[in-house]
């Protein structure tokens, strides 16, 4: 009898630590996102107001889970507030809409600085000589379960949803990229057969961006995406959500791959951009029009 009791107690000791977090999460998700937090989403994420009600509800649930599971830490004297946490969580969870997800399972902490922060960097020079360096950063995604963000730049990215620059979307795209094992521009796609098309399309567009960046030609995506495949995926994610019409026009295959991956069409949340103004001829230039009739 005593042996049976010890077996039961041992099983309970193993099961309870596993069951309790799931039980707590179910209780948390049973409660709606508070009205004050919903107001922050309305105020700080312009496209939220244009989402369908079902997507808004889904985003709210994701934000509830994100805020429950992730720890926010203010750095360099920044006082953490609901405004900061909900604004970051709302943008980060936009990448998860319509997708089965555990909400960034490898992530546990979001560090937030008031503005740009300095990161230590080792620079490798000629002959392999390593020199310690310092670099100002807007954000970073680390493979140890942390994301670092500048609050000034979070606000700047959220306030302008048409310029293709959003530090939260960028860094959390790196988190998704890492879910496949390492950040290399190929996130977990679910179906192994999907990787061939993904690789072909992203490689062509990455090579094109590198070429255009090399010759300083105008690009829809930030030339920083030409740094490496991981940065290309993160920059392309920013472009997909903030400049979807331009991406669909100039990078149609890439846009189609991102539609399949992210399972939303951000064009539904934005108005088409105005057509570019006509190019005015320079003084002294003569322009002819070809009219075969």
């Amino acid at each position: 009898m005593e042996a049976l009791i010890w077996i039961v107690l041992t099983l309970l000791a193993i099961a309870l630590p596993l069951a309790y977090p799931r039980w707590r999460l179910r209780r948390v998700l049973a409660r709606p996102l508070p009205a004050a937090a919903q107001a922050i989403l309305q105020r700080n994420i312009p496209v939220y107001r244009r989402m369908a009600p079902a997507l808004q509800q889904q985003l709210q649930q994701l934000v509830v889970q994100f805020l429950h599971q992730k720890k926010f830490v203010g750095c360099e004297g920044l006082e953490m507030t609901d405004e900061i946490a909900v604004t970051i969580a709302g943008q980060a969870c936009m990448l998860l809409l319509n997708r089965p997800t555990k909400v960034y399972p490898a992530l546990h902490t979001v560090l937030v600085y008031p503005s740009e922060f300095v990161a230590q960097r080792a620079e490798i020079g000629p002959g392999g000589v390593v020199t310690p360096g310092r670099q100002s950063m807007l954000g970073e995604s680390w493979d140890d379960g942390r994301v670092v963000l500048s609050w000034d730049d979070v606000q700047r990215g959220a306030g302008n949803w048409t310029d293709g620059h959003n530090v939260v979307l960028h860094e959390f795209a790196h988190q998704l990229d890492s879910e496949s094992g390492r950040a290399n521009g190929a996130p977990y796609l679910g179906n192994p057969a999907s990787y061939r098309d993904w690789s072909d399309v992203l490689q062509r567009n990455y090579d094109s961006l590198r070429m255009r960046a090399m010759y300083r030609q105008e690009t829809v995506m930030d030339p920083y995406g030409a740094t490496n495949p991981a940065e290309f995926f993160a920059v392309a994610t920013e472009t997909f959500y903030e400049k979807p019409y331009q991406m669909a026009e100039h990078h149609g295959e890439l846009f189609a791959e991102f539609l399949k991956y992210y399972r939303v069409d951000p064009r539904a949340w934005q108005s088409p951009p105005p057509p570019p103004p006509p190019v005015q001829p320079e003084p002294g230039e003569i322009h002819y029009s070809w009219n075969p009739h």
Side-chain angles (χ1 to χ4, degrees):
M1 187 65 180
E2 289 185 4
L4 180 59
I5 292 174
W6 279 110
I7 292 173
V8 171
L9 291 175
T10 301
L11 291 175
L12 286 174
I14 295 172
L16 284 177
L18 298 175
Y20 181 66
R22 291 196 292 269
W23 175 79
R24 282 193 63 204
L25 179 59
R26 284 197 299 270
R27 291 198 57 176
V28 168
L29 293 178
R31 299 192 293 266
L33 185 68
Q38 293 184 41
I40 293 172
L41 296 179
Q42 291 271 2
R43 184 167 61 248
N44 291 354
I45 304 179
V47 293
Y48 174 81
R49 296 188 291 270
R50 300 188 63 173
M51 288 181 179
L55 272 188
Q56 289 183 344
Q57 182 64 35
Q58 189 184 149
L59 183 62
Q60 291 174 27
Q61 283 283 290
L62 290 166
V63 169
V64 167
Q65 183 170 347
F66 192 102
L67 295 176
H68 170 67
Q69 294 179 324
K70 316 307 177 189
K71 179 181 180 181
F72 283 82
V73 178
C75 303
E76 291 187 351
L78 179 68
E79 180 182 354
M80 191 53 54
T81 64
D82 290 344
E83 186 91 11
I84 295 173
V86 173
T87 301
I88 292 172
Q91 294 176 81
C93 291
M94 288 180 65
L95 304 184
L96 308 178
L97 291 168
N98 290 340
R99 302 171 59 228
T101 176
K102 294 182 179 180
V103 184
Y104 303 107
L107 176 73
H108 55 74
T109 304
V110 180
L111 305 169
V112 188
Y113 285 80
S115 56
E116 288 187 9
F117 55 93
V118 176
Q120 303 296 325
R121 286 288 181 270
E123 300 177 1
I124 302 177
V129 177
V130 179
T131 305
R134 295 162 63 85
Q135 182 179 355
S136 294
M137 305 288 291
L138 312 182
E140 273 198 307
S141 175
W142 296 346
D143 58 9
D144 65 353
R146 293 183 291 174
V147 164
V148 192
L149 298 166
S150 154
W151 174 232
D152 280 352
D153 292 281
V154 169
Q155 293 176 289
R156 192 173 296 115
N160 186 342
W161 208 266
T162 59
D163 64 355
H165 297 288
N166 186 298
V167 67
V168 177
L169 297 182
H170 185 103
E171 301 307 335
F172 280 89
H174 282 315
Q175 285 289 308
L176 292 178
D177 193 5
S178 299
E179 288 180 5
S180 62
R182 60 192 180 96
N184 58 2
Y188 177 69
L189 301 179
N191 181 1
S194 301
Y195 283 97
R196 180 172 180 177
D197 288 343
W198 179 273
S199 178
D200 289 346
V201 170
L202 267 73
Q203 186 66 54
R204 283 196 299 273
N205 283 269
Y206 172 58
D207 291 342
S208 174
L209 183 62
R210 290 183 65 196
M211 185 64 66
R212 297 185 72 85
M214 182 184 303
Y215 290 102
R216 301 180 183 275
Q217 296 174 338
E218 186 176 351
T219 58
V220 173
M221 289 182 280
D222 189 328
Y224 183 67
T227 304
N228 57 52
E231 295 299 345
F232 179 79
F233 172 67
V235 166
T237 294
E238 295 176 85
T239 309
F240 176 75
Y241 279 93
E242 293 210 349
K243 300 169 74 174
Y245 286 97
Q246 298 93 319
M247 188 178 186
E249 179 182 356
H250 296 281
H251 301 274
E253 285 186 316
L254 182 64
F255 186 77
E257 287 297 318
F258 275 60
L259 280 177
K260 289 188 291 185
Y261 177 67
Y262 282 118
R263 304 187 187 186
V264 293
D265 188 343
R267 291 174 297 187
W269 314 330
Q270 298 186 27
S271 301
V279 177
Q280 298 296 323
E282 294 290 333
E285 287 186 345
I286 301 176
H287 289 254
Y288 298 93
S289 61
W290 170 252
N291 187 347
H293 304 293

